[in-house]
Every structure is written in C-alpha cells, then in structure tokens.
Amino acid sequence: MSQLSEQPAGTSVPTSADVARLAGVSRATVSYVLNDNTSVRISEPTRRRVREAAADLGYVPHAAARSLRAGHTRMVLLPAARSPAGPLYQRFLTGLETGLRRLDYTVVQYGSAGMDADEAARAWAELRPVAVVSPGNIALTPYGTGVLTRSGAKAVITLGPQPVEGAHALVVDQREVGGAAVRHLLSRGRRGIGVVMPQEPGLAPFAEPRLAGAVRAVEESGADARVRPLPLRYEEESAADLAARWRTLGLDAVFAYDDEYAMLLMRALQDAGIGVPAETAVIGADDLMLGRLLRPRLSSVTMELATAQSPAEMIDRLVQSPGGAPERHYPLRATVVARESS
Amino acid sequence: MSQLSEQPAGTSVPTSADVARLAGVSRATVSYVLNDNTSVRISEPTRRRVREAAADLGYVPHAAARSLRAGHTRMVLLPAARSPAGPLYQRFLTGLETGLRRLDYTVVQYGSAGMDADEAARAWAELRPVAVVSPGNIALTPYGTGVLTRSGAKAVITLGPQPVEGAHALVVDQREVGGAAVRHLLSRGRRGIGVVMPQEPGLAPFAEPRLAGAVRAVEESGADARVRPLPLRYEEESAADLAARWRTLGLDAVFAYDDEYAMLLMRALQDAGIGVPAETAVIGADDLMLGRLLRPRLSSVTMELATAQSPAEMIDRLVQSPGGAPERHYPLRATVVARESS
DNA sequence: TTGAAAGCGCTACCAC
DNA sequence: GTGGTAGCGCTTTCAA
C-alpha cells in the first residue's frame, strides 16, 4: 500500500483547512499561495511549506465551494449532441474546447438524453454555467434561454440551422449546402434534380433547409429545372427500392444529402444498371475520404465555419460584455469539390 | 419585454430565500417542499404557495451549493474521448448516459484537450465526481486514480485496452478483434497475413493489441502461417504505396484494422490490379454500413459489449458499496461477419 | 506578513 | 406544521 492512502472509509477528503494545519498557517494564507494571489506578499519559505503540504495531502480545491463563494463559475456548458457527430461538428468542438481552455474556461458536455427541452434547460441551469453553446439538434426554447440567462448565464448561443429567440446564434445555414450542390448540377446541364431526404430521426432539421436551398437555387437560376425530394432510409433495401423506381422519376441528377447517403444511393443505382454520371449525376456533402475511394470518385460539398473571431473568442467577448442584442452570425461557407460523379 | 425579466445588470439570480420571501415562509419550508421531503408534513396550501413562488421567480436550485451542503455529488464524469468516437463507443455512451440518468446521476463529459494525464485528473477531481469513467484513449495514471479516489470518487473505471492500477476496468481487449480476424483468414486457407497498423496518432493503443492478438492466433493455430505488420496512413497516397509494393510482400490476406482502412486499402489493391479476394483476402472491423456497399462486400469483425450488469448498474453498485478490490471485466465479444472479400 | 471571520446557497437538525 | 440556524469549503476584507 502506497503512502497516499486510499481513504479507508473513515478518512475524508482534504480541505484547505487541512493544508493550513499541516503547513502551520491559516486558511487565508493557503488560499493566497495556491492561487498565486499577487495583491499580497507571502514569504518564500511559507509558500513552499504550503505547497508541500498541499502536495503531501493530495489536496485538490473544491470547485463547487469556490464558485459558490465567487458568485459565478467559468463553466461553458455544451449540451451533448444527440445523433450524428459529423466531422464538421467534431472539428468545431475540438477547436472550441481548446480555445476556451486557453481562455481559462471549463468546458463540459452535458448529456440530456430523454429530457424535454425545458427540463433539460433547468438541469443545465443548476450548474450555473457562464455560457451555454447548444448544438442544432438540441432543442432550446425561448423559455429555456430565459431560464438560463436568469440563472446567470452570460451568453446563450445556438448553433442550429435556425436562430432561437433571445439567444445569440451561430446560424449554420444548411440552405447554402443545398444551394451549392444544385448550382453545380445546373451548371453541368442537369435539369431533373433529386434531393435525398434522410428518414432517420434527428436529421430533418438539416435535411429540410438543404432541400429549401436546393429549391431556391433552381428558382434563382431561372433554369427550366425541377427539384424532387427523395425520402431514403440509411439501409440497402431502401436504396434499392429507390433505384428500382429511378427511371420512372425522370431525374438526371441527385444531391444525396451527404457522402454516406451518396455512397449508399450510388451503389444502388449502379447495381440497377444506371450509369453514374452518364445517366445520373450524384453529389454528396462533407467531403469524406470515402468519396475519393469510390468509382466514380464522388463529388461533394465541403463546409467550413468562417468566423471573424474564433468561436471561443466570441464567447469570451459575450461573457465579458453581456446584455447586448442577440447576435446572428452566418459563418457557413459551402464549396463544391467536383470529382467524377457529377 | 416579457414578465420574466432578463435581469438587466442589477437583478441577481433568485435563491431559495427569494422564494421563501415571496411565498411568506422560511427557507427551510421551501427546501422541504421543492425536494418533496417526506419526513416532514407541509400543508397543501403552503406547498402550492411555495411552488408558485418558485415558478414565478424562475427559481432553479444551485447545484454547487446543494452538493457542498450534501458533502457529495451525483455526478459521473466521462473524460471526452479524444480522437475516434467509433460507433461502438457511441452506442456505449448513449446507453450509459440514459442508464445513469435513470438512476438519478448527472452525466458530464469533460473535455481535457491539451492537458497531461495528471493535470487532467486534478481538473476532474475539482468537480468532486462520485464516479469517473475514462475511455481508453484518455490517459489515466495510477497517480490520477489516487487523486480522484482521494477527492471522493467512489468508483474510477477505465475502458481502455489495458487496465490501470487501482481502478476498476472494463477491459476492451482488442486482442480478441485481431484474433477473430486471423482465425477467420486461416480457416479460409490464407497463410501470409498482413495486419494494418494505422499511423494516425491515438490509434496505437488499439492497433498494437489487435496485432498482438493476430500473432497469438497464428501461434495457437499451429498453422505454418506468418503475420506481418503494415504501417499505413489514412491517405490515398500511403495506400497506393503499399499496394505498389504488395506483390513483393508475399501476402495473401490482410486484416485492415477497421472498415475504413479496409476500404482505403482494398481500393488501392484493386487499382493496382490485385484481385480481392482471389489474390488477397481483406477483412476490416466495426461492420460499418459502408462495408456492405463495397464490391466485393467487405468482411468485418463486429464487436459488442456483453456485460452481465449494464454498465450503469455496475457503476451504481460500485458507488453504493465502494472499497472493494478493483474489478476486471472483459466484456468484448468479437464476431466475424464473412462476406465476399475474404 | 499573517490570521480571524463573514458569507456564498443550500439542507437538515432541533425548537416551537 | 413551520422557522431558526449551523455549517459544507472557499475567498477576501479587515485587523493585527
């Protein structure tokens, strides 16, 4: 058994008072030393004694007590995304976390499985986060933002396809994705354009605006073209059904929602003897590696978040000067990577 | 402006004292009512007055204050997995979260980007979680588990490929995956077996044991076969290089680490004119949908966690009766799904 | 340079 | 039935 005891039932977790006792100083001094408080001068020997005592005891400050005393936390809460943590969101998350950590925030993802929106908002509020960044597929109601701001959150930010009343928004406008895809297909001379609508739950908030953007792009182009939504489940059978009906649909192109659905559909089309791109052009989205491995190589819409400030800096700014009118940012850039399938 | 004010600078967040004042009762009564404390009888009119006051003010209890008073939290902390949130881990996570929430725990993922292991453990300990479940690719040292248990964590559980001293472990023994793949290939009469070793950072803790399992499976089979590790980056170029050298390697099969690497490599082999499975058999792992869409259809090793108790129940049990010897569970079942590529 | 003490919001013990 | 109040661990003002 090591010298650091496993607290066998009786022993309790060390507090700053324990450190003070062991170092032979007061709790105030402990606090000064461990927080490197500059507004007070502590002699070097004392500092060392305190640090050693803290290390010996394995002392770790109690975040709850600290923030209770401080009257606020530095916690940024991210409701954990429900369904598909796509590569874009994954990158966003990593960047945000590192950025915020650098600014000395604590980043916490809160899983809210099986709560309704307002219930979840109250659960988040109990932690008194200084900011909440809510991904698009998590419901955040105006009531929810109210609860959060009233509980002390200085910034409530949504990432969804649509803004939420009362909250700042990084509007990831999915219409751009559909628009870019369709403009590309039109420029290739395609006029009968299918748009895959995934039937998986949770994808509708992304799929609907992509379709809307596709429709709008056709309208704006003035071309004599049409857009047709194509419901599809992420299963081979569903894709085979669609492919079997394909020639009755009179389409010569399809925007397949994303690369994974594109792969599914393209495979089904090819198996049904429909030439890609000869007879039907296919384009996906996300520019996954897998698209480059298909034959024909899959065209895709890439997305990136182009914000003036980094999201972390934006949050920091909103936290430091709260109370401004809700901001709306539209940072999504959609670009087509044309390969062989379109 | 709605009746629920946005706390314009001056107003502060409502406390139970505010609720008490508005309801004309004491803070104690507020606490009794809002927590449905049964050991004390409160009249129905009073209950209603309190609830109404709380709702009017938008009162949300302060988790930090509550747990400070209680002396413990019900927070289960999961260090956020760094790199690849594979489908297996994704499912595990969702199940764990719902299970724990049902048992009234608060589940929180803590992003520890860019901290070293011990630093991270201290950061987690500040939140005084009652349990910590650490995924495999997050480093957890014996020192780290010490810090956590000493700070009051009743259960520290690792999910990694290897157990950690002092912590309970759900050992996801990756060797099984390599073993299953290789036994399958041997049964197909293959004798020169390559094992892809991804060069991406963070995958080594998974890749190494898979290789080890592959080697052991060959030894145990007594077959006159050999295993050869094949470094590969997840890039077309790297795969093309490997494919160009393929015939010099004298291999007739490859376990490609997972389905994505398998797809990459299979494509490169085919492009280099190497027949799959005629000349070389290929098998991946994870049984992704994409494998079924390839031609030939990709064989794969599926994994599932088969635990006696659900992980949530296991955590609850460990929390309720702490202090037992570290448990080791080996819940990984690896099964081969043989398709056309092997 | 250090220490004593107040008080953050909450719950639970004990009086009334 | 309801209220007063101590005290969880921490920081910070004020005194010494």
Side-chain angles (χ1 to χ4, degrees):
Chain A
M1 184 155 282
S2 78
Q3 60 197 15
L4 296 173
S5 91
E6 303 266 334
Q7 72 173 42
T11 325
S12 125
V13 348
T15 72
S16 75
D18 296 320
V19 177
R21 196 157 27 240
L22 182 57
V25 300
S26 75
R27 284 153 68 227
T29 307
V30 171
S31 176
Y32 293 142
V33 171
L34 296 184
N35 295 314
D36 287 322
N37 188 324
T38 48
S39 76
V40 71
R41 295 246 154 276
I42 307 277
S43 71
E44 197 47 51
T46 306
R47 305 189 94 87
R48 205 175 37 245
R49 281 217 316 287
V50 169
R51 286 193 216 285
E52 275 171 11
D56 282 1
L57 292 172
Y59 169 73
V60 175
H62 192 307
R66 173 177 288 176
S67 61
L68 186 58
R69 163 69 219 217
H72 61 260
T73 69
R74 283 187 73 79
M75 175 187 294
V76 176
L77 186 145
L78 289 95
R82 268 299 105 248
S83 35
L88 180 70
Y89 183 67
Q90 205 82 276
R91 280 201 306 274
F92 171 81
L93 198 62
T94 312
L96 185 63
E97 270 184 6
T98 22
L100 285 173
R101 175 167 334 289
R102 200 160 299 146
L103 294 167
D104 199 37
Y105 291 93
T106 295
V107 183
V108 148
Q109 281 181 261
Y110 192 108
S112 323
M115 308 194 200
D116 74 42
D118 296 337
E119 203 178 351
R122 279 191 297 271
W124 306 338
E126 292 192 3
L127 298 180
R128 298 289 192 270
V130 70
V132 175
V133 182
S134 177
N137 45 5
I138 299 287
L140 185 53
T141 63
Y143 168 82
T145 65
V147 168
L148 288 167
T149 53
R150 229 168 315 114
S151 80
K154 296 271 188 285
V156 179
I157 299 163
T158 61
L159 287 171
Q162 275 103 27
V164 171
E165 188 187 338
H168 303 283
L170 245 45
V171 184
V172 180
D173 187 353
Q174 301 287 334
R175 286 176 304 181
E176 270 309 299
V177 180
V182 161
R183 279 190 296 275
H184 167 72
L185 293 172
L186 289 174
S187 80
R188 290 286 207 257
R190 309 286 170 159
R191 290 297 179 264
I193 300 176
V195 173
V196 167
M197 303 296 285
Q199 298 301 289
E200 275 62 37
L203 260 38
F206 297 86
E208 301 284 357
R210 286 185 190 191
L211 174 62
V215 170
R216 193 178 56 178
V218 165
E219 286 166 0
E220 289 178 356
S221 75
D224 180 23
R226 63 199 183 78
V227 165
R228 173 168 183 153
L230 302 170
L232 179 65
R233 279 171 291 116
Y234 193 61
E235 296 163 12
E236 284 188 272
E237 195 189 2
S238 179
D241 282 355
L242 181 55
R245 292 183 289 117
W246 195 257
R247 292 213 163 102
T248 72
L249 299 174
L251 301 176
D252 60 4
V254 59
F255 166 52
Y257 179 70
D258 73 6
D259 285 355
E260 297 196 312
Y261 283 88
M263 179 181 186
L264 174 66
L265 181 55
M266 194 161 91
R267 167 51 64 205
L269 290 174
Q270 289 174 326
D271 286 354
I274 290 154
V276 177
E279 194 170 343
T280 295
V282 177
I283 183 168
D286 282 351
D287 193 24
L288 301 184
M289 164 70 89
L290 85 81
R292 266 162 281 177
L293 302 175
L294 301 177
R295 298 296 180 265
R297 294 172 205 269
L298 182 66
S299 300
S300 192
V301 181
T302 67
M303 292 166 273
E304 54 181 336
L305 258 31
T307 46
Q309 282 182 310
S310 84
E313 286 166 348
M314 176 185 163
I315 289 168
D316 188 44
R317 175 172 57 78
L318 292 172
V319 165
Q320 300 216 28
S321 51
E327 300 182 5
R328 297 254 188 286
H329 299 270
Y330 293 83
L332 194 70
R333 297 280 170 280
T335 322
V336 168
V337 181
R339 298 209 180 85
E340 302 160 359
S341 69
S342 65
Chain B
M1 183 153 286
S2 78
Q3 61 198 16
L4 296 173
S5 91
E6 303 267 335
Q7 72 172 39
T11 325
S12 119
V13 347
T15 73
S16 75
D18 296 320
V19 178
R21 197 159 23 243
L22 182 57
V25 299
S26 77
R27 281 152 71 228
T29 306
V30 171
S31 175
Y32 293 142
V33 171
L34 295 184
N35 294 315
D36 286 323
N37 188 324
T38 49
S39 76
V40 72
R41 296 248 154 275
I42 307 278
S43 70
E44 198 46 52
T46 307
R47 304 188 95 87
R48 206 176 35 247
R49 282 217 315 287
V50 169
R51 285 194 217 285
E52 275 170 12
D56 282 1
L57 291 172
Y59 169 72
V60 175
H62 193 306
R66 174 177 287 175
S67 61
L68 185 59
R69 164 69 220 220
H72 60 260
T73 69
R74 283 188 73 80
M75 175 187 295
V76 177
L77 186 145
L78 289 96
R82 266 301 104 250
S83 34
L88 180 69
Y89 183 68
Q90 205 83 277
R91 279 202 307 274
F92 171 82
L93 197 62
T94 313
L96 185 63
E97 269 183 10
T98 22
L100 286 174
R101 175 168 331 291
R102 199 162 300 146
L103 294 167
D104 198 35
Y105 292 92
T106 295
V107 183
V108 147
Q109 280 181 263
Y110 192 107
S112 323
M115 307 194 199
D116 73 44
D118 296 338
E119 202 178 353
R122 279 191 297 271
W124 307 337
E126 292 192 1
L127 298 180
R128 297 290 190 270
V130 70
V132 175
V133 181
S134 177
N137 45 5
I138 299 287
L140 184 55
T141 63
Y143 168 83
T145 64
V147 167
L148 287 168
T149 52
R150 231 168 312 114
S151 79
K154 295 271 186 285
V156 179
I157 299 163
T158 59
L159 286 172
Q162 275 103 28
V164 171
E165 189 186 339
H168 303 283
L170 245 45
V171 184
V172 181
D173 188 352
Q174 301 288 333
R175 286 175 306 182
E176 270 310 299
V177 181
V182 161
R183 281 190 296 274
H184 167 73
L185 293 172
L186 290 173
S187 79
R188 288 287 206 255
R190 309 286 169 159
R191 289 299 179 264
I193 299 176
V195 173
V196 167
M197 303 296 285
Q199 298 302 289
E200 276 61 36
L203 259 38
F206 297 86
E208 301 284 356
R210 288 186 187 189
L211 174 62
V215 170
R216 192 178 56 178
V218 165
E219 286 165 359
E220 289 177 356
S221 76
D224 180 24
R226 62 201 183 78
V227 165
R228 171 167 185 153
L230 302 170
L232 178 64
R233 281 172 291 117
Y234 193 60
E235 295 162 12
E236 282 189 273
E237 195 189 3
S238 178
D241 281 355
L242 180 54
R245 292 183 290 117
W246 196 257
R247 293 212 162 102
T248 72
L249 299 173
L251 301 177
D252 60 4
V254 59
F255 166 52
Y257 179 70
D258 73 6
D259 286 356
E260 298 196 313
Y261 283 88
M263 178 179 187
L264 173 66
L265 180 56
M266 194 161 91
R267 170 90 275 150
L269 290 175
Q270 289 174 326
D271 286 353
I274 290 153
V276 177
E279 192 170 344
T280 295
V282 177
I283 184 169
D286 284 351
D287 192 24
L288 301 184
M289 165 69 89
L290 85 81
R292 267 162 280 177
L293 302 176
L294 301 179
R295 297 298 179 265
R297 294 172 206 269
L298 182 66
S299 299
S300 191
V301 180
T302 68
M303 293 165 272
E304 54 180 337
L305 256 32
T307 46
Q309 284 183 309
S310 83
E313 285 165 348
M314 175 184 164
I315 289 169
D316 188 43
R317 176 173 55 79
L318 292 171
V319 165
Q320 300 215 27
S321 51
E327 299 183 7
R328 299 255 188 284
H329 299 270
Y330 292 83
L332 193 71
R333 298 278 170 280
T335 321
V336 167
V337 181
R339 297 209 181 86
E340 302 159 359
S341 68
S342 67

